[in-house]
Amino acid sequence: MKLRAIIKRMRNAWRRHGWRMFGPLLLHNLRYYTKHWMRHGSLRMPRSSVDHIPGVETQRAVYLSELGYTGTVGESAEPYQPIDEAQFRSVMEALPIRLADYAFVDLGSGKGRALLLAAQAGFQTITGVEFSDELHQTAQKNLAAARDRWPNVDRIKLLCGDAAQYRPPLVPVVCYLYNPFGASVMRQVIDVWVRAMSTHSQDVWVVYSNPTQSELFMSEPVFEHQFTKAGSAVFRRRA
């Protein structure tokens, strides 16, 4: 990642989260990029195996200014950044469950990288919810290019809409979040999931990568923190 992009992200973080959260976020990201540099010898995000599929592009970051977000939407949405494939695989492999028995839901699914990796991991169903129509269309193109070249693409369903309005399935599920939005939207998302869980007893896991709003899950009695691995905080529905 170029220095100019890092400075831009820091300014956005200050504007969205204020001085109380800026310090902890800065420390979190310094630790993350230090580990990233030590592992890869570069700040550049390694290219995913997904992007070796002809016609698939999930690598390039997309900032809010490119998507035309302003006002409250721009304040609550985060730029698109691709998840590191090794990190994703590491935390999914650490889950003490049989992935084939679970649905996978990615809130803020962007261009679909995590969806394709989840399909390869063998989740029963995979759903991506993305607010940006532009990113949603890119994900559609990526899935079309990956069909017949990548396992289980037929299990993936793309939804273009507001994650705060998405009602989770009444089945065992892993909810995946890669720092997709700020505190106000995250609070709404958590409330929707808590209400949905009150109607069933299915197992629910939350994998929250780059967890800038993890305190919202920590303070929610229905979720219990299980572990933190590869830059992801993992929560489970409390028994």
Side-chain angles (χ1 to χ4, degrees):
M1 181 181 295
K2 295 181 179 179
L3 179 60
R4 183 179 298 177
I6 294 174
I7 294 173
K8 187 174 183 179
R9 292 190 67 182
M10 290 174 65
R11 288 175 177 170
N12 288 339
W14 179 273
R15 186 176 67 252
R16 291 195 185 94
H17 304 294
W19 66 270
R20 289 183 181 275
M21 282 299 298
F22 182 78
L25 285 175
L26 180 61
L27 289 175
H28 171 85
N29 281 284
L30 283 174
R31 287 195 296 266
Y32 170 79
Y33 285 113
T34 299
K35 291 179 180 178
H36 187 87
W37 176 272
M38 293 175 66
R39 183 184 300 119
H40 302 290
S42 170
L43 292 180
R44 186 180 297 275
M45 182 68 68
R47 193 180 183 202
S48 169
S49 60
V50 166
D51 286 78
H52 290 285
I53 305 170
V56 172
E57 188 282 306
T58 69
Q59 182 75 9
R60 188 180 70 85
V62 180
Y63 291 91
L64 300 178
S65 57
E66 296 179 62
L67 301 176
Y69 288 159
T70 58
T72 56
V73 174
E75 292 172 357
S76 61
E78 294 290 343
Y80 167 76
Q81 295 281 347
I83 181 64
D84 180 87
E85 180 173 340
Q87 287 183 292
F88 181 89
R89 293 186 186 280
S90 177
V91 70
M92 291 301 157
E93 290 170 0
L95 295 178
I97 58 176
R98 184 173 179 266
L99 301 186
D101 295 334
Y102 284 73
F104 178 90
V105 174
D106 183 358
L107 300 180
S109 50
K111 298 181 183 181
R113 175 182 288 189
L115 302 177
L116 287 165
L117 294 175
Q120 187 181 50
F123 280 93
Q124 189 175 91
T125 62
I126 302 100
T127 302
V129 183
E130 174 53 52
F131 184 82
S132 164
D133 182 64
E134 180 179 327
L135 293 177
H136 173 72
Q137 290 183 33
T138 299
Q140 288 180 315
K141 294 176 182 177
N142 286 335
L143 295 194
R147 200 171 304 277
D148 300 327
R149 294 187 174 95
W150 193 264
N152 305 321
V153 175
D154 59 314
R155 300 183 188 181
I156 301 176
K157 179 181 181 181
L158 297 175
L159 300 175
C160 186
D162 187 350
Q165 302 298 320
Y166 172 78
R167 188 171 178 84
L170 305 182
V171 297
V173 60
V174 173
C175 175
Y176 182 71
L177 302 157
Y178 183 37
N179 189 29
F181 25 69
S184 60
V185 175
M186 186 66 80
R187 181 69 264 171
Q188 295 176 59
V189 168
I190 292 174
D191 290 343
V192 168
W193 281 68
V194 169
R195 286 196 298 271
M197 288 188 291
S198 69
T199 66
H200 67 82
S201 58
Q202 301 287 358
D203 195 19
V204 176
W205 290 76
V206 176
V207 177
Y208 187 5
S209 296
N210 191 11
T212 59
Q213 308 298 332
S214 60
E215 73 279 359
L216 295 179
F217 287 95
M218 292 288 192
S219 63
E220 179 55 59
V222 75
F223 287 113
E224 182 176 12
H225 181 250
Q226 299 294 301
F227 59 89
T228 297
K229 184 179 180 64
S232 300
V234 178
F235 302 87
R236 189 180 192 182
R237 177 185 186 160
R238 193 180 298 274

